[in-house]
Amino acid sequence: MPRGRPPAYTRDQVVTAAVTVADTDGLEAVTMRRVATEVGAGAMSLYTYVPDREHLIDLMVDRVAGEPVPPRVTGDWRADVLALLVMQRDLMRAHPWLPGVLGGRRLTGRNLLGFLEHGLRALEPAGLPGITKMTLLGLFTGFVASYVTGELTSDPALAAVDIGAAVTSGDFPFLRKALIEGGGGPLEFPAIADWMIAGLVEQARHQQKAG
């Protein structure tokens, strides 16, 4: 039997084009037609490589998850998990569409599984059950995604005006007191992430001992 014509493009090229579109114009710009145009293919021919847009997004997430080199695991679970979250934050800032697509998605690509494997290895010295470690890693990723979303969408100048107006109204005395007390300026991401890591892990340990 004669062989069919070989594919003109590869799935890798299609995913690369989709990531470029999302980075440049946002995830809403990633349509099958737009990606087909970017690779120079017909819109219908794109379905040869991916069955639908949702599957394409799954592949995009897994693709960018493989970009950074995971930090070295030192055996200090707190420092190792923090380094992992800092890496996640950098990745999400590089791909602003990423935080918004993580929730409820099929995160089963090899790069994502590699990230999970790295996180479990980092948490191993904490002495927690496997399901607890996996739950914690999910919570940590959700925190990073929420934090980055706030960074990318908030306008500090407008927020300051709104809070200032609320404080001067006299309706929020504890908010006014907190702002007057201050405390050396806003905390940076590593400090906040470290608090969360330590608090959640220690609480999980406490419940494990109690249970």
Side-chain angles (χ1 to χ4, degrees):
M1 294 179 62
R3 296 181 179 180
R5 293 177 59 186
Y9 306 95
T10 65
R11 176 179 286 184
D12 186 71
Q13 288 174 304
V14 170
V15 176
T16 297
V19 169
T20 300
V21 171
D23 288 347
T24 304
D25 298 324
L27 190 67
E28 65 280 359
V30 179
T31 64
M32 300 297 273
R33 183 175 298 278
R34 170 70 183 277
V35 175
T37 299
E38 294 295 322
V39 298
M44 295 306 296
S45 70
L46 209 66
Y47 292 95
T48 303
Y49 307 95
V50 288
D52 52 46
R53 182 176 184 271
E54 286 303 304
H55 187 74
L56 176 58
I57 295 174
D58 288 341
L59 295 174
M60 292 165 59
V61 173
D62 194 61
R63 161 64 61 79
V64 300
E67 289 178 359
V69 176
R72 184 174 65 90
V73 174
T74 67
D76 179 342
W77 62 262
R78 185 166 168 176
D80 289 341
V81 174
L82 177 58
L84 196 60
L85 299 199
V86 169
M87 183 194 79
Q88 273 192 312
R89 180 194 179 207
D90 291 342
L91 180 64
M92 292 183 194
R93 286 174 62 88
H95 300 284
W97 53 270
L98 183 57
V101 301
L102 293 177
R105 189 159 293 280
R106 298 168 295 179
L107 306 179
T108 56
R110 289 193 61 84
N111 290 327
L112 288 164
L113 292 177
F115 175 85
L116 177 59
E117 176 75 10
H118 186 92
L120 291 171
R121 182 183 177 195
L123 274 173
E124 184 67 19
L128 296 169
I131 190 63
T132 301
K133 288 184 289 189
M134 292 179 71
T135 299
L136 287 172
L137 289 171
L139 291 172
F140 295 155
T141 296
F143 159 74
V144 177
S146 177
Y147 189 95
V148 172
T149 298
E151 286 186 301
L152 296 175
T153 60
S154 64
D155 186 328
L158 290 178
V161 171
D162 292 341
I163 292 176
V167 168
T168 55
S169 72
D171 295 333
F172 305 96
F174 286 97
L175 176 58
R176 181 176 183 276
K177 180 175 180 290
L179 293 173
I180 292 174
E181 288 174 349
L187 292 169
E188 298 296 329
F189 174 82
I192 299 172
D194 185 53
W195 285 357
M196 188 195 63
I197 293 165
L200 287 178
V201 171
E202 290 304 325
Q203 181 62 25
R205 281 174 158 177
H206 175 74
Q207 289 188 355
Q208 182 183 7
K209 290 177 181 179

